[in-house]
Amino acid sequence: MVKEYNIVITGVGGQGILTAANLLGWAALRENYKARVGEVHGMSQRFGSVISYVRFGENVYGAMVPEGKADVILSFEPVEALRYINYLKTGGLVFTNSRKILPVQVSMGLANYPSHEEIKNIVEKKFNAKYISFDAETLAKKAGNIITTNVVLIGALTQTPGFPLSPETIKDVIKVSVPQKAIDINIKAFEFGISKAKGLL
């Protein structure tokens, strides 16, 4: 049992961020933790920046993760991890999908999108954090639906050192949280994420 574990989930609208937060929150409750899931902030429509919070442990009360206290930033889009990097604690983990969704400012030529190496260097050198990135969307498509990208990332996250929640508990939550016809695809996506992480860590 951990006293406190904080996850910031970020990406853009339409990527299943709230679903991911709820899956993790319910899994934490099943493992007898106190759990809080913060509401999504930002534009919920496609391409708007979105952030959500998952907190669980023995001593967790507020729903929002304080700045500098996140154990993990789970990002569904690379630059969104940087947008909210201020939440990450020293020595924390940034775990991100590598597929880019260009912000409007970049599409309009008003800003530049940083390279993968630039993002990695900022996370590792400026914030002394671990950075893991892979193409979760391709694995989601292989599972049967790109919308399961969030579940691929959660599966991979369960394999990171010190992650407190059991993959089996999260699988059980998936089975009662998604529509019956989508269970097999989501479980397959989750297991793809687990397998991918074992090759990265």
Side-chain angles (χ1 to χ4, degrees):
M1 297 289 284
V2 295
K3 291 190 178 297
E4 182 179 323
Y5 198 88
N6 296 312
I7 305 171
V8 168
I9 306 176
T10 186
V12 300
Q15 289 189 298
I17 293 164
L18 183 57
T19 298
N22 285 334
L23 289 175
L24 290 167
W26 281 112
L29 284 173
R30 283 194 173 217
E31 296 198 4
N32 297 315
Y33 287 114
K34 292 181 180 177
R36 302 288 184 269
V37 175
E39 66 183 46
V40 173
H41 295 269
M43 299 174 68
S44 60
Q45 66 265 38
R46 188 69 176 170
F47 303 127
S49 180
V50 177
I51 181 173
S52 189
Y53 314 92
V54 180
R55 310 187 70 201
F56 59 90
E58 296 177 0
N59 301 313
V60 173
Y61 299 98
M64 292 181 65
V65 174
E67 290 192 15
K69 294 293 186 180
D71 295 276
V72 177
I73 292 180
L74 183 63
S75 183
F76 295 3
E77 199 285 331
V79 85
E80 293 299 322
L82 287 187
R83 193 188 300 274
Y84 299 105
I85 194 71
N86 55 304
Y87 284 96
L88 190 67
K89 73 178 187 181
T90 300
L93 169 67
V94 171
F95 208 111
T96 182
N97 177 33
S98 62
R99 298 304 279 286
K100 299 177 182 178
I101 298 176
L102 298 182
V104 174
Q105 298 94 325
V106 174
S107 300
M108 294 176 64
L110 301 176
N112 294 319
Y113 195 105
S115 69
H116 173 80
E117 284 304 314
E118 286 173 322
I119 296 172
K120 187 174 188 289
N121 285 338
I122 290 170
V123 171
E124 292 184 345
K125 294 180 180 178
K126 289 190 176 181
F127 292 88
N128 192 31
K130 188 172 180 62
Y131 179 80
I132 299 173
S133 174
F134 71 97
D135 183 357
E137 285 188 14
T138 295
L139 292 177
K141 290 177 183 176
K142 183 180 176 183
N145 196 324
I146 193 173
I147 203 169
T148 62
T149 299
N150 56 355
V151 180
V152 173
L153 286 165
I154 291 173
L157 179 63
T158 66
Q159 301 305 298
T160 57
F163 187 74
L165 302 179
S166 161
E168 292 305 317
T169 301
I170 297 174
K171 272 191 191 180
D172 289 343
V173 171
I174 290 170
K175 290 173 183 176
V176 298
S177 299
V178 304
Q180 185 74 27
K181 63 182 180 181
I183 291 174
D184 288 346
I185 290 174
N186 277 273
I187 294 300
K188 188 181 293 185
F190 185 76
E191 290 175 345
F192 281 162
I194 290 175
S195 296
K196 182 65 177 180
K198 288 178 179 177
L200 293 171
L201 300 169

